[in-house]
Amino acid sequence: MLGHDAVARALVDHGVDTVFAVLGDGNLFIGENLVREHDVNLVSATHEANAVLMAQGWAKATGRLGVATVTHGPGLTNTITALVEGVKNETPILVVAGDTPVEHEQHLQNLDQHALVTATGAGFQPVRNAETIAEDVSTAVRRAHFEHRPIVLNVPLNVEWDEVEYRPKPAFTPPAVRLAPDPDQLDVAMGIIASATRPVILAGRGAVKSGAREALIRLGDVLGAPLAASLLATGFFRGEPFDLGIHGTLSHPVAAETLASADCLIVFGAGLNYFTTGNQMMLAGKRVVHVDLDPHHIDRFVTVDAGVVGDANVVAEAMIEMLVAVEHTPSGFRTSDLEKKLRDFDPATSFDDKSYDGAVDPRTLTRRLDKGLPQDRQVVIDGGRFMFDALTLSVPTPEDFVTSHAFGSIGLGTSTAIGAAVGRPGRPTVLCVGDGGLMLGGLTELSTAVHLGLDLVVVVYNDRCYGAEHIQLVAKGFDPAASFHDWPDFCSVAASMGFATAKIVSLDDIDSAMQVVENRPPGVPVLIEASIDADVVSTIYQQLG
């Protein structure tokens, strides 16, 4: 077979059945062969960055390797932000990129693609020649899994037209990692934990992947420790009486008060970054034990008192066994008063609603959406000022929560949501996005959602400006006019592409918008445009500090 056929065959041999693509000279015949010979679901994006972001959303939603393909030169340069997002989000993605022919130095799209990819933090895997295609594809797939980042498979165009006798490589199945803790590390950690009088357990995405929920609940019972979760473990302890919810800048008042009085934080698979720790202020006065499968994650952002390398579930079980063996007495931190406060806490009554006829308070909007949108949803949040409200939307499980702001960029959510929706077609996908983010990186892909017939609900928080910049200008006493934009009517644009739409300009409109969602025809996505007052939001954030 020819080289491009061999690349396609090697991908399929490794279980690839969905590829997100923008086709060009460098990858056209790879994509064509995937469809014609192997019946692969080739999802066409309108921009190369969006193809990679769709692969990221698909990977997050399915737990499998996301795959995208782009052409050489500008096709690859267009993916830079998406590649960095994938690196920071630690997402296994394979990007099959064409490259200009080796012998054609003056090709207009010639570029040092290795240097470009390396600068993003992604991995670079060259196809060395036609005879090594199967081996090079296999290596790239393995690297994506083990390195937890995008790997760019670089395929020179001349290699694609060389003849090759294809010899398949065995399909790769990522092994389950159940690493037991080092006894000395565990002893040091247990010395700290056993002496704590007000311990709290914090679970992150590593605990979710480990399936450690039940073990951590039992550990909490043995220790008398309330339970908290990082943003990426949203909803992990839902239904537990001592669930504090999110640990970090999004902690609700009852949780914040409880966490402030804790003397020990026992962390399982959470990164302890700036947001999870409130710029480390939430660690003040606490001893910290950090359990993580990846030793590089321990002491990465903060220096901890004890680090334990191991699988969250295995380590939690070992801790329980040790505590039970010495007949450890639970702390008194779990009080009936705390249980009552958590049970009675209503986020809808924790602020003064600022809605009026013409704009809605984003906090009230989010809480009404939380109740009115389909409950079996997966949720994707774009970046932007609105996200600090939208991130409080609940999800059935942490796996139903997908982020796209690891790089701090707006505009990456729409394509991520499309990939997630393709990956899990059996449930509705809710995308929350700001007006600036939708214009920057998502508007054109609305047509892709229609073409694919996705069960997608897009909620646009529209304050008609770039919100973070508006806040900064106001806070410094400047005229915020530079942050405002004259956007098109999003409902009209979406309707022209085939969306069902609803517009919210007052609280009275929310119920009718939910009716549009409830009555949406099969295969017709919905866009809801909610009017937000930028000046009101700036006032709210200034009050919050």
Side-chain angles (χ1 to χ4, degrees), residues 309-348:
V309 178
D311 173 76
N313 191 69
V314 174
V315 175
E317 293 284 3
M319 288 180 172
I320 294 169
E321 184 177 344
M322 293 175 72
L323 291 166
V324 170
V326 298
E327 298 182 348
H328 178 79
T329 301
S331 76
F333 204 24
R334 287 186 172 188
T335 64
S336 57
D337 181 57
L338 174 58
E339 183 177 3
K340 183 178 186 303
K341 285 182 178 179
L342 289 170
R343 184 175 61 248
D344 294 344
F345 176 70
D346 182 0

Side-chain angles (χ1 to χ4, degrees), residues 5 304 463:
D5 301 323
V304 300
D463 60 5

Side-chain angles (χ1 to χ4, degrees), residues 420-440:
V422 172
R424 300 178 76 184
R427 64 173 57 206
T429 299
V430 174
L431 164 68
C432 295
V433 59
D435 47 291
L438 183 62
M439 287 295 294
L440 181 67

Side-chain angles (χ1 to χ4, degrees), residues 56-64 178 204-214 229-238 375-381 393-403 416 419-421 423-424 427-430:
Q56 171 176 265
W58 192 90
K60 291 291 187 183
T62 64
R64 296 171 58 195
R178 293 293 184 188
R205 201 55 175 259
V208 175
K209 291 180 178 179
S210 173
R213 183 179 188 273
E214 297 307 317
S230 71
L231 179 64
L232 293 183
T234 293
F236 194 46
F237 296 119
R238 177 188 296 231
Q375 296 300 297
D376 61 336
R377 60 189 175 239
Q378 62 177 342
V379 173
V380 180
I381 310 292
L393 275 178
S394 63
V395 288
T397 70
E399 292 91 343
D400 298 308
F401 180 74
V402 180
T403 61
T416 301
R424 300 178 76 184
R427 64 173 57 206
T429 299
V430 174

